[in-house]
Amino acid sequence: MTADLRIGLALGGGGARGIAHIHVLSALDDLGVRPAHIAGSSIGAIIGAAYAGGMSGRDIEAFALQTFATPRALAGRLWATRPPNFKEFWADGGFRLGQLNAKRVLAAFLPPVFARRFEELTIPLTVVATDFYARRELVIRTGDLMSALAASAALPAVFRPVRREGLVLLDGGIYSPLPFDLLRDMADAIVAVDVNGGPEGDGSSLPAPFQAMVGASQLMQQALIETKLMIDPPDILFRPPVARFGVLDFMRTRTILAETVSLREEAKHAIGRLLERPHFDVEAAIAALQAHR
């Protein structure tokens, strides 16, 4: 294997569908490969941050299974996201029907050992969010990690916007649902995992309002992904079969893992073949030329 090949890992958004990302992380563990850089959007940013912070694929899987084991356990964590006092309630924006505080949700659901700043991570991480008023993609690589992850995952139908460093931020998937293009200058080869999925059905019934809203978002995000793939695709693209799961189907974590378990072996074989390819080391070539001058 080409031990010095720098692999960039891009993990896409998709809510609960992103549980399937764990299999690719476990495949990397099986191969003894550490990515040179991870880029993530929404759930991909959260799972990528856990891995970049030192958790193994097995650790992340065990934590997810424990966290979403029962409705009672889930309800207890959601209860912990409430504002502690009336002042905090108004600071959160007061009454916003149906919208949760993404930073509080993350604090309640992430492991207690989770890194709090980008600088604490053992693997460099890029998190993508959407700058609402500037109407642009915002790439975040330094500073407070929790606000960046909360912003990247702030699906408007579920979470209120996140304030970070004077900016109002939303779901990273609006501009970059699968940010493999951001890894070009930081890796020799790029592995991307697309869990966006899309609406499924036979047309016999109309989608509920929330399904229609989320499904429309997925269609737009898939169009963005397909455009990027036509321009400059990653070296490896995985698309596990997760479309039938909803973005909030976290209580089906065990089922999602079971139905996508083949992804682990698929990833091991594909990444293993990538590592066996002859690799032209640009930096070594430049150093050799300079040495002979």
Side-chain angles (χ1 to χ4, degrees):
M1 290 188 178
T2 308
D4 59 348
L5 184 73
R6 298 176 305 158
I7 290 182
L9 177 64
L11 303 177
R17 296 169 171 144
I19 294 294
H21 287 318
I22 295 171
H23 292 308
V24 176
L25 303 182
S26 294
L28 290 170
D29 291 338
D30 292 341
L31 293 167
V33 173
R34 285 175 60 81
H37 201 108
I38 299 173
S41 183
S42 194
I43 188 67
I46 294 170
I47 291 181
Y51 195 67
M55 295 181 72
S56 66
R58 177 180 293 182
D59 293 336
I60 298 170
E61 179 176 340
F63 183 80
L65 288 170
Q66 177 187 19
T67 301
F68 302 107
T70 65
R72 183 174 181 178
L74 178 64
R77 289 182 182 270
L78 285 174
W79 178 251
T81 68
R82 71 193 189 285
N85 53 55
F86 202 63
K87 181 179 179 181
E88 288 291 324
F89 169 75
W90 286 113
D92 278 353
F95 291 101
R96 287 173 179 260
L97 185 63
Q99 284 191 309
L100 300 171
N101 182 311
K103 288 191 284 187
R104 292 189 187 281
V105 170
L106 277 180
F109 279 85
L110 292 180
V113 296
F114 206 86
R116 291 301 185 262
R117 297 185 62 82
F118 281 85
E119 292 77 12
E120 297 173 16
L121 301 173
T122 59
I123 298 173
L125 176 71
T126 291
V127 171
V128 182
T130 295
D131 186 336
F132 184 69
Y133 288 113
R135 292 171 286 177
R136 64 182 177 120
E137 170 188 84
L138 183 68
V139 176
I140 309 172
R141 295 183 173 126
T142 60
D144 181 67
L145 179 60
M146 306 309 289
S147 62
L149 296 179
S152 187
L155 180 68
V158 180
F159 298 107
R160 65 197 60 176
V162 173
R163 291 186 181 275
R164 175 188 160 93
E165 298 178 359
L167 304 177
V168 175
L169 307 178
L170 296 174
D171 182 9
I174 295 171
Y175 272 94
S176 191
L178 186 60
F180 60 87
D181 52 311
L182 299 178
L183 295 169
R184 287 298 173 198
D185 295 333
M186 290 168 278
D188 304 310
I190 297 173
V191 175
V193 190
D194 178 14
V195 294
N196 182 65
E200 284 198 334
D202 57 8
S204 60
S205 62
L206 290 174
F210 182 77
Q211 287 178 305
M213 181 168 52
V214 172
S217 175
Q218 289 171 323
L219 291 172
M220 290 186 289
Q221 289 178 17
Q222 203 60 51
L224 286 172
I225 292 171
E226 295 300 333
T227 299
K228 286 185 178 182
L229 290 174
M230 286 189 292
I231 296 171
D232 191 11
D235 296 87
I236 298 176
L237 174 64
F238 296 114
R239 280 179 160 161
V242 292
R244 80 179 189 86
F245 299 103
V247 296
L248 299 181
D249 272 348
F250 288 98
M251 291 305 300
R252 302 178 72 186
T253 289
R254 189 173 296 277
T255 302
I256 295 170
L257 287 168
E259 293 196 8
T260 57
V261 68
S262 62
L263 177 59
R264 182 170 178 171
E265 287 301 315
E266 179 188 349
K268 280 172 63 175
H269 291 146
I271 297 171
R273 289 193 297 270
L274 179 66
L275 293 169
E276 290 169 356
R277 291 183 195 170
H279 167 56
F280 181 73
D281 191 330
V282 176
E283 292 181 359
I286 293 174
L289 287 171
Q290 291 175 338
H292 283 86
R293 285 180 179 177

